[in-house]
Amino acid sequence: MRRNIVKLIALAAALLPVTGTVFAQDTKAVPKNVAAPSTTRVIQMQTAFNPALPGSGEGVRVFTRSVKHMTAGAVAIKILEPGRVAPTAEMLDAIVAGDLEAAFTWSGYAASKAPVFNIFATVPFGLGPEDMISWMLEGDGARIHRDAYDKLGVTGIPCGIQGPKGGGWFRGEVNTVADFKGLRLRYGKLAAEVIARLGAVAVPLPPGEFFYKLQQGNVDGGEMSTPAMDAALGFDKLGLPYYLPGWQQPSAVLDFLMRKDKWAALPASLRAQIQTACQANIAWMLGRSPNVQGVALEKLKASGVEVREWAPDVLAAFRKNSEIVVKDLAERDADFAAALANQQAFIAQAAHWRALSRLP
């Protein structure tokens, strides 16, 4: 019992920051050959991700450090822990209201305002990180993303990319489609609709509650995050099988947000430097993710986790029902439908090259 309590406290410490704290900021000095600015513009930015955790959390720190050095100290971004000013899912509202100056967050949190953001979140069986960023930077993805935030009164800049999640942790085997019937599972909105079509019961849970509910048997399984994040949060201690691949979220775009008038008030040179820092952050996360996730997966296996691949018929059922769920959303929302069609057309135009360039 005592060990369980200690584990839960450790998990809570990792997920839920202490009220009133601010994460340690980058203390590296501005390079000596660059004149220090007479004044520094400090931007208060709340993050959706604990900066102490791998992947998205690390991306928060790298981005703020890049801005500091690229602006030679003219801009310093002060990281506020999740929930400091507003609940994570409500940061966009707080920015519009003027209660929060900036945010570093996941595109999916805006989907409750406009379904088109599901495209960037991403949809089940959607684009992997490389193709997603190609569409964002070379296709119309960035324009669609910008216009969607613009309608909400916010400037949104793609500022990071998360790789595939794990498929989920389960208290029992799920080898057939029939095994899902009646299971209580934690998945995101679109994926929750998919597993509901298989007979499972979607259980919405905040990230900080999932470990405890899963350990106690109050839910039967579901997704947390990437292998690196799951390992950092101690999910290997549960002694449960880990299913891959993460069909429900092959990638996810991370955003830097400011209210439009506050963003416009920044000098054009500083806006350009922040945008460049965001692009650098995307490149850093793209390069880091495969190795970090691979190392984490091996550590999970070494600690006794049984890593399982979805059975072919289960994965086929996920895909079939995902197509139905996505089609239904496209029929209900014209902006989502247009963005999806645009994305699919962009990917299709290079499909022949992908097929010929990748070794069998």
Side-chain angles (χ1 to χ4, degrees), residues 159-210:
C159 205
I161 185 75
Q162 186 182 61
K165 281 188 172 185
W169 301 87
F170 289 81
R171 294 183 61 83
E173 293 187 0
V174 281
N175 298 321
T176 69
V177 174
D179 291 335
F180 283 85
K181 189 172 183 179
L183 293 184
R184 300 157 298 172
L185 305 178
R186 177 190 186 268
Y187 278 101
K189 185 180 183 302
L190 294 184
E193 294 181 30
V194 173
I195 59 103
R197 293 181 60 86
L198 301 183
V201 177
V203 181
L205 280 176
E209 295 183 19
F210 181 47

Side-chain angles (χ1 to χ4, degrees), residues 129 161-165 226 249-252 285 289 293:
I161 185 75
Q162 186 182 61
K165 281 188 172 185
T226 62
Q249 186 175 296
S251 67
M285 294 186 76
S289 181
Q293 303 308 330

